[in-house]
Amino acid sequence: VLSYVIPTQLQRVTHRVLHRLFHTRSRLFVALHVALQAAVYGEYSWEVFVYCWELQFHLLLLLLPYLLLAGNMGCLILCSRADPGIITKSNHASLVKIYVHDGVLFQKGIVCPTCNMEKPARSKHCSFCDTCVHRFDHHCVWVNNCIGAFNAKYFFLYLFTLTAMAATIAIITAAFLIQVVLLSNIMHGTYIDDQGQEQAVEILFLIQHLFLTFPRIVFMLGFVVLLTLVLGAYCCFSLYLVLTNQTSNEWYKSRRYGCSHHLTLQPCDRQVVYKNIYSKGIWMNLKEIFKPCTVLERKKK
């Protein structure tokens, strides 16, 4: 009985903790994000920067991560404090005219039961912020705000600079370690293994040697390389959404439907086929992110 009750109680406690973290607005993840950046930049400044400066790395290259950090923190502040496009009774009439309903993902006449207003096309009610958001993409816990029509550009720049930061620190750190290996000429040396046999230096031994010599630097390098891969993949996905004029919410919902050039009902299984009607070409899609549509602009078209 105990073997069943204890895991069940643990699951309930874990669920409550995760619900409190992820299903309510919280600055915890913002603080965690800043703390991780501080840890990485602390190690970079304390060891990597100093060693690279002694090895006569170019100063502009060594300062590049700090410039990216300044840009990233600016984008973080703008993204977290900007209005993502909260729909209110005062702006509802104008926002509802910007996008047409596609009849598949967004049906006309649907009323939000919480806000008690008709949902404009491409909008969604955010359960985290308890508001409807115009051109809703997703709720980002790392900026403690929704990503919508009016702060999507800040989020994309935030994500791009964050990826560039991790990649730049990884490249500089890897270049430093490679320089150390070349200067020490360790690859042409030998070592005595556990059996007392003389062995040529291999990659595994080299990694172990570097880790014992520069443990914090090697650990940081592994972390930022992993971060670069994860953020790089997400950045490419976000760029794809921008160029095709989709949101994360729309992309996820459209996976339930097939793709076609026509919006119709299939006679075989009566399944709705989805077509993205909001894409206007790469240039116009980019322009819409960095200069969101207004009612006046739409009337001019």
Side-chain angles (χ1 to χ4, degrees), residues 80-91:
S80 61
R81 296 178 65 87
D83 175 14
I86 296 175
I87 302 173
T88 62
K89 293 186 181 298
S90 60
N91 64 15

Side-chain angles (χ1 to χ4, degrees), residues 119-164:
K119 288 185 178 181
R122 310 191 77 180
S123 68
K124 185 178 184 296
H125 185 87
C126 176
S127 58
F128 300 88
C129 301
D130 198 28
T131 56
C132 283
V133 177
H134 174 54
R135 199 184 182 278
F136 177 86
D137 191 279
H138 70 287
H139 181 92
C140 180
V141 295
W142 299 107
V143 302
N144 196 32
N145 198 6
C146 283
I147 308 303
F150 302 140
N151 67 347
K153 55 179 177 291
Y154 301 133
F155 177 76
F156 182 75
L157 293 174
Y158 158 78
L159 186 60
F160 176 78
T161 52
L162 191 62
T163 306

Side-chain angles (χ1 to χ4, degrees), residues 123-232:
S123 68
K124 185 178 184 296
H125 185 87
C126 176
S127 58
F128 300 88
C129 301
D130 198 28
T131 56
C132 283
V133 177
H134 174 54
R135 199 184 182 278
F136 177 86
D137 191 279
H138 70 287
H139 181 92
C140 180
V141 295
W142 299 107
V143 302
N144 196 32
N145 198 6
C146 283
I147 308 303
F150 302 140
N151 67 347
K153 55 179 177 291
Y154 301 133
F155 177 76
F156 182 75
L157 293 174
Y158 158 78
L159 186 60
F160 176 78
T161 52
L162 191 62
T163 306
M165 282 166 46
T168 303
I169 292 178
I171 291 171
I172 295 174
T173 305
F176 160 69
L177 293 176
I178 292 173
Q179 189 78 347
V180 168
V181 171
L182 294 176
L183 291 174
S184 65
N185 205 27
I186 191 175
M187 291 301 294
H188 298 286
T190 59
Y191 70 97
I192 304 300
D193 62 13
D194 296 337
Q195 286 74 35
Q197 301 294 323
E198 187 176 9
Q199 302 287 344
V201 173
E202 300 173 346
I203 296 297
L204 182 59
F205 176 84
L206 179 64
I207 295 175
Q208 292 175 342
H209 173 73
L210 290 174
F211 186 79
L212 292 174
T213 309
F214 308 103
R216 292 192 300 271
I217 293 179
V218 174
F219 180 80
M220 183 194 73
L221 177 60
F223 174 74
V224 292
V225 167
L226 178 62
L227 198 62
T228 301
L229 295 176
V230 174
L231 289 174

Side-chain angles (χ1 to χ4, degrees), residues 33-51 65-66 69 165 169 173 216-217 220 223-224:
H33 169 253
V34 174
L36 287 174
Q37 281 189 337
V40 170
Y41 271 86
E43 179 59 28
Y44 174 79
S45 304
W46 183 257
E47 291 195 286
V48 177
F49 185 95
V50 175
Y51 289 144
Y66 298 105
L69 175 63
M165 282 166 46
I169 292 178
T173 305
R216 292 192 300 271
I217 293 179
M220 183 194 73
F223 174 74
V224 292

Side-chain angles (χ1 to χ4, degrees), residues 13-136:
V13 172
T14 304
H15 176 75
R16 284 197 295 268
V17 172
L18 292 177
H19 186 275
R20 183 176 295 274
L21 289 176
F22 288 98
H23 293 271
T24 58
R25 295 200 65 181
S26 172
R27 294 184 177 89
L28 175 63
F29 287 93
V30 179
L32 178 60
H33 169 253
V34 174
L36 287 174
Q37 281 189 337
V40 170
Y41 271 86
E43 179 59 28
Y44 174 79
S45 304
W46 183 257
E47 291 195 286
V48 177
F49 185 95
V50 175
Y51 289 144
C52 289
W53 177 253
E54 293 176 355
L55 292 173
Q56 298 182 338
F57 278 56
H58 199 286
L59 180 60
L60 183 59
L61 176 64
L62 298 179
L63 293 177
L64 183 58
Y66 298 105
L67 298 176
L68 290 170
L69 175 63
N72 180 256
M73 294 306 295
C75 293
L76 173 63
I77 294 172
L78 289 172
C79 190
S80 61
R81 296 178 65 87
D83 175 14
I86 296 175
I87 302 173
T88 62
K89 293 186 181 298
S90 60
N91 64 15
H92 176 269
S94 59
L95 293 180
V96 79
K97 299 175 183 177
I98 294 179
Y99 296 112
V100 297
H101 295 80
D102 62 7
V104 179
L105 301 184
F106 306 104
Q107 304 285 345
K108 193 172 183 179
I110 302 298
V111 176
C112 175
T114 304
C115 300
N116 197 28
M117 291 184 294
E118 181 183 354
K119 288 185 178 181
R122 310 191 77 180
S123 68
K124 185 178 184 296
H125 185 87
C126 176
S127 58
F128 300 88
C129 301
D130 198 28
T131 56
C132 283
V133 177
H134 174 54
R135 199 184 182 278
F136 177 86

